[in-house]
Amino acid sequence: LFDYLLAKTRWSVMNDFGCHVLYDSGALITKLVADPANDEWEVEPGHVYWNAHVDKANIPTYDYTALLYLTSQGDDFDGGEFEWIDDDSNKVVVPAAGRLVMFSSGPENLHRVREVTRGARVVLAMWFTCSAEFQYDVPE
């Protein structure tokens, strides 16, 4: 299922952005919860996920980002909107299970996730690169 979703999303990004070739550059399932437990499972204790950022600034090989929502705001969680930070006006995406959001990963797309205030927001996050040299290599 994961491979299918990744391949289908890669094709959608290629089609929508006019890319002739695109390579996987990483993917993970993120779960943001309202009141995270402070335990040994916490990957980065104290991390403030709602700070604005640019994906390419975090990982320079990211050229495109795609987010597939696995849970819905209102049903599964509150808060957690995806927000692009723009000079003229911010644009907000309300998460809904099955919704796919795709965008270029550069400085033109400064964004953040608003704080989750109830429940759990779960997303399959995927990144793609235009360079075969930097594609994610899955160990066998």
Side-chain angles (χ1 to χ4, degrees):
L1 178 60
F2 175 81
D3 288 341
Y4 170 78
L5 291 172
L6 189 62
K8 187 168 178 140
T9 301
R10 184 177 54 252
W11 180 87
S12 293
V13 171
M14 289 172 64
N15 188 51
D16 287 4
F17 289 94
C19 302
H20 298 291
V21 66
L22 207 56
Y23 303 94
D24 299 332
S25 191
L28 58 89
I29 293 178
T30 63
K31 180 180 179 184
L32 303 177
V33 295
D35 294 311
N38 192 5
D39 60 23
E40 69 275 5
W41 294 103
E42 186 68 26
V43 174
E44 202 174 337
H47 174 71
V48 180
Y49 63 82
W50 54 84
N51 286 333
H53 67 279
V54 171
D55 291 351
K56 197 167 190 68
N58 293 337
I59 306 289
T61 58
Y62 290 170
D63 293 314
Y64 295 94
T65 300
L67 306 172
L68 177 62
Y69 292 98
L70 304 177
T71 53
S72 297
Q73 184 192 56
D75 294 336
D76 304 299
F77 63 93
D78 291 326
E81 298 92 344
F82 183 89
E83 180 178 26
W84 276 283
I85 312 298
D86 291 317
D87 290 338
D88 54 351
S89 67
N90 294 356
K91 293 164 184 65
V92 175
V93 174
V94 175
R99 179 169 286 156
L100 178 65
V101 177
M102 305 177 297
F103 54 96
S104 56
S105 303
E108 67 280 2
N109 282 314
L110 177 66
H111 62 277
R112 71 182 186 117
V113 173
R114 292 181 179 170
E115 185 175 3
V116 173
T117 58
R118 177 193 64 84
R121 175 190 187 270
V122 183
V123 173
L124 172 56
M126 298 163 274
W127 296 273
F128 303 96
T129 181
C130 297
S131 172
E133 179 184 357
F134 296 114
Q135 69 183 313
Y136 183 77
D137 186 24
V138 179
E140 300 208 15

